[in-house]
Amino acid sequence: MESFIKDYDKIIKKQRKLETNDPLDRLIAIVNEAKDKIRADPTTVSKSLEGLTGSIASVSSDISDEYKDLQSSITKYSKAVDKKFTADMMAAINPHAFDNKENILKTTIATHFIRQGNFEIGDLFAKEAGLTVPDSMRHQFMEMFDIVAALKVNNLEPALKWATKHRSGLEKRSSTLEFKLHRQRYLQLLETNETQAAITYARQNFAYFGTRHTQEILRLMCCIIYMRHIKTSPYADLFAPNANADIQHTFTRDFCSLIGLSCDSPLYVSVTVGTQAMPTMIKMATIMKAKKTEWSQQSELPVEINLTDDTKFHSIFTCPVSKEQATEENPPMMMTCGHVICKESLQKLSRNSTTHRFKCPYCPSESTASNAKNVYF
């Protein structure tokens, strides 16, 4: 990659050189110079025009050479990139993935626009696609973006009202949003030298969070002593410039969580996961093509795709006996020995009896179906 970067930098330098020495400006300068000579001495018209023609031809030739050199460099660079990255992405794509699922894809795109705050585009897309986006979702995200817009200009009031209204739901998710908002408002008052107002605000709002955020509250109160030299004090991190961005992210995440949605839209997650998985998929498709093998009938991937934590939403349990993925109808069941298998496998081993004793497939222990317990991941 380093060689590509160096070649790219060379191309940029050549392009900037051409932009600096604008060809048109150079030609205009030659023409103006000839005009000045003719005005100064009209008898030199023929000689000046002859010289002008030669100069224009010379400059045009130089410009042509410079552009040819730039174009040649771009062509070579393009060929080098194509030669280096020869992967055929189409080999890893299933052209029938969305057969009879076009409505799901259209709905995903429409809701993505809504979730990004592009309400007019989302409504227009839904209308042209013949979809109906629930008004409740639209209004929820309009509220969210109105609050985010206020946070961007350091207006914390709408977010504080929302957090107070949904305090119980936020606490169930162990959210720190409400405390972060009160902390930020307290620091805003200190930054504007409203020390007494900040102390009063702390007394009114910090007590509720005293148990969970004791150490943070102590630091917030002690930082008042160092306000004149806060940037060189042990409390400088409290006034970090990225605090507002962190609050916006926390609010967006908690807002979506309360309405039962992930922070990122399904379309964004799908594209992100696809990008991460594409190199492995291309490699496997190439190997399988060379060996003349195909995907399994269940469309299972023959390799594991490692995803980042933010693209994993739930644990997946595969029964070690049946090799099938657990579902709500066929949940994981833990036997008395601690080993876990799916419910259908448990029923087969117990012969559909709650009292019949059977041996665990993985250890000498015996168990019964009645003693097995559901496992929740």
Side-chain angles (χ1 to χ4, degrees):
M1 290 301 295
E2 291 183 3
S3 61
F4 286 135
I5 295 173
K6 289 180 181 178
D7 291 340
Y8 178 78
D9 290 339
K10 289 180 182 178
I11 293 173
I12 293 299
K13 287 180 181 178
K14 289 181 180 180
Q15 184 179 0
R16 287 176 179 171
K17 183 179 179 182
L18 279 174
E19 291 174 351
T20 303
N21 300 322
D22 186 25
L24 186 60
D25 289 340
R26 288 152 67 182
L27 291 173
I28 291 173
I30 293 172
V31 173
N32 287 334
E33 185 180 352
K35 285 171 62 178
D36 292 338
K37 286 183 180 179
I38 293 172
R39 285 174 181 172
D41 186 2
T43 59
T44 62
V45 173
S46 299
K47 185 177 180 181
S48 297
L49 290 177
E50 184 180 346
L52 177 62
T53 303
S55 297
I56 290 176
S58 177
V59 172
S60 298
S61 178
D62 292 341
I63 294 171
S64 178
D65 291 341
E66 289 173 358
Y67 271 104
K68 284 181 180 178
D69 181 41
L70 176 61
Q71 189 60 42
S72 176
S73 299
I74 293 174
T75 302
K76 290 180 180 178
Y77 182 77
S78 178
K79 288 181 178 179
V81 172
D82 292 340
K83 186 177 180 180
K84 181 68 175 178
F85 301 100
T86 56
D88 180 14
M89 289 191 292
M90 296 305 296
I93 295 175
N94 181 1
H96 305 292
F98 287 99
D99 286 354
N100 302 319
K101 299 177 183 177
E102 292 82 358
N103 196 55
I104 295 175
L105 182 60
K106 292 176 182 178
T107 302
T108 302
I109 296 173
T111 54
H112 175 78
F113 286 127
I114 298 297
R115 295 189 60 161
Q116 295 300 306
N118 299 314
F119 301 109
E120 292 184 5
I121 297 176
D123 291 342
L124 182 60
F125 181 89
K127 181 180 179 181
E128 294 186 359
L131 303 173
T132 302
V133 178
D135 289 337
S136 57
M137 174 183 283
R138 193 176 190 281
H139 293 322
Q140 285 171 334
F141 280 99
M142 287 182 70
E143 179 186 12
M144 186 188 82
F145 279 101
D146 286 342
I147 296 175
V148 170
L151 288 173
K152 288 180 178 179
V153 294
N154 293 317
N155 180 6
L156 305 177
E157 293 305 316
L160 278 167
K161 289 181 180 178
W162 182 89
T164 302
K165 180 181 178 181
H166 297 88
R167 175 178 288 175
S168 60
L170 292 172
E171 288 182 345
K172 288 180 181 178
R173 290 164 174 77
S174 300
S175 171
T176 59
L177 175 64
E178 189 177 2
F179 175 72
K180 285 183 177 180
L181 289 167
H182 284 301
R183 180 185 64 184
Q184 189 67 8
R185 180 56 185 151
Y186 168 80
L187 294 174
Q188 284 180 347
L189 292 171
L190 288 182
E191 285 186 299
T192 55
N193 296 320
E194 299 177 69
T195 306
Q196 191 57 48
I199 294 173
T200 302
Y201 186 86
R203 287 173 176 170
Q204 293 173 346
N205 298 284
F206 284 171
Y208 181 81
F209 307 96
T211 304
R212 286 189 296 163
H213 302 280
T214 305
Q215 293 302 317
E216 289 183 78
I217 293 173
L218 288 174
R219 292 193 73 223
L220 289 168
M221 301 310 298
C222 290
C223 77
I224 296 175
I225 303 172
Y226 295 87
M227 281 307 297
R228 291 186 180 180
H229 307 284
I230 194 67
K231 291 183 179 180
T232 57
S233 74
Y235 303 95
D237 60 290
L238 294 175
F239 297 86
N242 62 342
N244 189 277
D246 177 60
I247 288 176
Q248 291 177 40
H249 175 74
T250 303
F251 167 75
T252 303
R253 181 198 65 200
D254 290 347
F255 187 99
C256 291
S257 177
L258 283 182
I259 61 176
L261 298 174
S262 63
C263 183
D264 296 317
S265 76
L267 182 61
Y268 171 81
V269 174
S270 299
V271 172
T272 302
V273 170
T275 303
Q276 294 171 356
M278 186 59 73
T280 304
M281 295 287 289
I282 292 174
K283 184 176 180 180
M284 280 308 305
T286 304
I287 294 173
M288 294 179 73
K289 183 178 180 181
K291 293 184 177 181
K292 298 181 179 180
T293 55
E294 298 180 355
W295 304 110
S296 67
Q297 292 181 351
Q298 291 78 24
S299 297
E300 296 175 348
L301 293 178
V303 291
E304 183 178 353
I305 304 296
N306 293 319
L307 302 177
T308 55
D309 290 339
D310 57 347
T311 54
K312 296 178 182 177
F313 298 95
H314 56 82
S315 298
I316 297 174
F317 175 77
T318 301
C319 178
V321 176
S322 65
K323 308 300 181 186
E324 293 180 355
Q325 184 175 317
T327 63
E328 291 184 5
E329 296 75 22
N330 185 27
M333 304 291 292
M334 184 174 68
M335 297 172 287
T336 52
C337 58
H339 288 111
V340 182
I341 59 177
C342 279
K343 185 176 181 179
E344 290 180 0
S345 298
L346 180 70
Q347 291 173 340
K348 289 179 181 179
L349 291 171
S350 64
R351 300 177 184 175
N352 290 320
S353 171
T354 57
T355 58
H356 175 73
R357 298 187 68 81
F358 61 91
K359 178 183 170 296
C360 171
Y362 291 94
C363 71
S365 301
E366 291 187 348
S367 183
T368 61
S370 60
N371 291 328
K373 297 181 180 180
N374 278 66
V375 178
Y376 300 93
F377 291 97

